[in-house]
Amino acid sequence: MDIKQLKYFQVIAEEKHITAAAKKLNMSQPPLSQQLKLLENELGCALFIRTSKSMELTPEGQYLLQQANQILKDHNSIIRSFLNMKNGKSGNLGIGAICSAAAEYLPKTLPEFYRSNEDIHIQVFEDTTAGILNMLDDESIELGIVKEPFDHNQYDHYYIESLNHRNQFVSVARAHHFTPGSDRISLLDLDNAPLILHSTHRSIIIHALESAGLKAQVTWTANNIHTMLLWAGQDLGIAVMPYDSSSLSKYMAESKDIAIKTLDNPCFSSYTSLVWTKNHTLSPSAKLLINYIKSREAASTVI
């Protein structure tokens, strides 16, 4: 008894007629009848009660059909799993993501990816850019979504265009920190103001202010965008962050008095990229996700 014979038996049981079963299996009737006879001889019992119009299962045939259905289901599942492994559609994949990507981008992207790659299990680790790059270095993850700056000589990258359509920095604070009537401010408006900065961008923002002859008064330095927004909400200063990160302000419990102002013509910008370690062999699952994100971004650009 083998898988082929069980499949033949299953189809005969479904069709209840050798001729109909042979047609469905795309084979002639005599070889199918011969295979059924060999199976019955091996088991030592009749599997069907034959009449002129149909073939009905015997009790032994009913039992075998139950077992055959499960065996064939398991067999197909094993074959599918190995094909998915070969094509990269199964396995575990670790990806690190900065706060804004973990909260906004991935929840919209991954469900669509899962629909055609249901056997891939993705673990998302939210961290800072520095933390994500460290995880890439020690190979605890394969992919990361990070902000500039990072070493382009050490990491391959793909700019995620939908996250970079506005790469300006913005200032987020209680409304009284800003002049009413405009949705933009200049670096001059940040002169000697109490600033809340992210550790990733701290040096470039301080350098931009000092290069313009302005004083950088950094009151708070954070490693998390949510923390920056909470501090700004508590009126502890002006948080300066990338535009896409400011969208997280909508998750704050008390944000009615929060104002978001775009920095006018700043001499720094922030780009978000999908990154992975250079000269590192990626798993098929990682390659699939990279290609999926690229195709998704290309489609959104066309639209």
Side-chain angles (χ1 to χ4, degrees), residues 120-192:
I120 295 179
H121 176 65
I122 297 179
Q123 287 184 289
V124 179
F125 301 88
E126 183 183 328
D127 208 330
T128 62
T129 290
I132 292 167
L133 296 178
N134 286 335
M135 285 191 283
L136 284 171
D137 293 342
D138 64 25
E139 298 185 1
S140 56
I141 60 174
E142 286 192 85
L143 302 174
I145 299 179
V146 301
K147 285 282 188 187
E148 297 277 9
F150 59 86
D151 187 353
H152 288 204
N153 293 320
Q154 187 174 352
Y155 306 100
D156 284 320
H157 67 281
Y158 171 75
Y159 287 120
I160 302 178
E161 186 61 34
S162 62
L163 296 178
N164 292 322
H165 66 288
R166 286 187 62 179
N167 63 342
Q168 302 104 317
F169 272 69
V170 297
S171 294
V172 182
R174 288 289 184 89
H176 70 83
H177 285 280
F178 306 118
T179 302
S182 174
D183 60 355
R184 311 185 73 85
I185 63 171
S186 68
L187 287 177
L188 183 61
D189 295 303
L190 300 181
D191 183 30
N192 207 29

Side-chain angles (χ1 to χ4, degrees), residues 57-78:
L57 289 168
T58 64
E60 294 83 357
Q62 292 174 358
Y63 174 77
L64 180 61
L65 181 61
Q66 292 176 357
Q67 302 303 312
N69 287 340
Q70 186 60 51
I71 291 170
L72 291 169
K73 180 180 178 181
D74 292 343
H75 174 264
N76 293 336
S77 177
I78 291 170

